[in-house]
Amino acid sequence: MKNKIVAGNWKMNTSFSEAEDLLVAIAEGINDMILETDIIVCPPFPYLEMAADVSEESGFLVGAQNVSSEKAGAYTGEISATMLKSAGADFCIVGHSERRIHFNESDEMLIKKVNNLLDEDIIPIFCIGEQLAERESNKQFQVVENQLNNTLFHLPESDFERIIIAYEPVWAIGTGKTATPQQAQEMHAHIRKLIEEKYNLKTAYSTYILYGGSCNSKNALELFACQDVDGGLIGGASLKAEEFIEIINAAETCIKNN
Ligand code: PGA
């Protein structure tokens, strides 16, 4: 069995000093652990460099939550992939439903973002997932397939292999309503099958597919134990060091049990 990934998406939370405290607490919490799980912390932009500094002494990796679809120049307020890289980010969340919904991010923009990140050697953590109405009308599999076709499956295999996928059912994000392990497994297996059909079995197997949506220390173990769930993208529960570390422990337990 391959290792797990636990990524924390802090969203638009924490002051500078709260971010510092949280980073140090995570670093201290994982200090004594011999980790087989890859831990990625995605703080807001202004704290990336600090996160990268703390991570040097610790076992976690650093990611951003967003990137511009433009490369450089007169785009006031935008942050480029080159800037992320120079601030110490090796990963970046793309296609999160909050950005698709609140900031009207189109498939075309997402494709440009992914390309910009790959050009800078930053690994995209690409989010896909259906809305509640789509699940209620049993369209979830088609929705996710369309998202993959429209935004990722144009990539040559050598680029697709560098993507981490996060399946995040929109109805589960920040709602306390988690997908059941059966629902998660079923969708993750579907995604892996689509990757196999598009590319091949090896790429399908090696692609990390994370689950996100109200994942916490209580449900992480049973979600991560699913065969096709390679870890989690954690929002709210990544803002408390103890809770985040318990989720990392759940991932470690799953690796050891296999
Ligand atoms: P949540 O968020 O864990 O707070 O539901 C997950 C995410 O949006 O990545």
Side-chain angles (χ1 to χ4, degrees):
M1 195 187 195
K2 58 183 191 265
N3 287 357
K4 301 277 186 197
I5 294 176
V6 173
N9 173 11
W10 292 11
K11 307 194 181 183
M12 197 168 71
N13 291 298
T14 69
S15 65
F16 189 93
S17 64
E18 286 164 351
E20 191 172 26
D21 290 348
L22 183 51
L23 289 165
V24 170
I26 293 169
E28 285 174 358
I30 60 175
N31 200 18
D32 297 331
M33 295 164 73
I34 303 163
L35 288 164
E36 290 188 82
T37 303
D38 285 332
I39 302 159
I40 306 169
V41 176
C42 304
F45 287 136
Y47 316 140
L48 277 177
E49 210 181 326
M50 173 167 65
D53 283 347
V54 177
S55 77
E56 265 176 38
E57 307 286 314
S58 179
F60 66 83
L61 303 157
V62 177
Q65 298 172 22
N66 185 27
V67 65
S68 178
S69 53
E70 302 301 331
K71 288 255 185 208
Y75 298 101
T76 302
E78 288 291 273
I79 312 267
S80 70
T82 317
M83 293 172 189
L84 295 184
K85 192 70 185 180
S86 64
D90 289 318
F91 299 82
C92 181
I93 298 168
V94 191
H96 194 285
S97 59
E98 287 157 12
R99 297 215 57 87
R100 292 183 198 244
I101 294 166
H102 303 307
F103 301 96
N104 299 320
E105 291 197 355
S106 63
D107 289 346
E108 197 189 3
M109 282 170 82
L110 300 182
I111 289 172
K112 286 169 82 179
K113 287 177 182 224
V114 167
N115 290 341
N116 290 349
L117 291 170
L118 291 175
D119 284 350
E120 288 296 334
D121 229 354
I122 297 175
I123 295 180
I125 302 175
F126 197 92
C127 305
I128 53 177
E130 81 284 357
Q131 312 243 9
L132 182 60
E134 293 163 337
R135 179 160 283 266
E136 284 174 346
S137 51
N138 204 27
K139 295 204 183 91
Q140 66 273 23
F141 297 112
Q142 192 56 51
V143 167
V144 162
E145 183 170 347
N146 292 347
Q147 289 172 333
L148 288 170
N149 277 329
N150 296 345
T151 45
L152 287 183
F153 278 177
H154 65 286
L155 291 171
E157 188 186 345
S158 56
D159 282 340
F160 185 85
E161 280 174 348
R162 297 155 69 200
I163 309 269
I164 295 172
I165 293 189
Y167 167 58
E168 298 208 308
V170 180
W171 47 270
I173 297 176
T175 58
K177 208 173 155 201
T178 321
T180 64
Q182 292 75 9
Q183 286 172 323
Q185 169 56 28
E186 197 179 34
M187 182 59 86
H188 283 228
H190 175 66
I191 295 167
R192 215 178 287 288
K193 184 90 195 117
L194 293 169
I195 300 171
E196 185 188 338
E197 282 164 14
K198 174 67 194 171
Y199 297 97
N200 53 54
L201 186 62
K202 185 180 133 282
T203 302
Y205 176 77
S206 58
T207 301
Y208 280 87
I209 309 174
L210 312 183
Y211 169 79
S214 297
C215 184
N216 57 41
S217 63
K218 307 237 161 18
N219 56 34
L221 190 62
E222 54 174 8
L223 284 162
F224 296 172
C226 298
Q227 192 188 340
D228 288 295
V229 177
D230 300 312
L233 179 56
I234 319 296
S238 71
L239 291 167
K240 292 188 202 105
E242 259 181 45
E243 175 84 3
F244 191 54
I245 284 155
E246 276 192 50
I247 296 170
I248 295 164
N249 269 319
E252 290 288 296
T253 304
C254 288
I255 297 168
K256 292 201 172 85
N257 287 346
N258 270 278

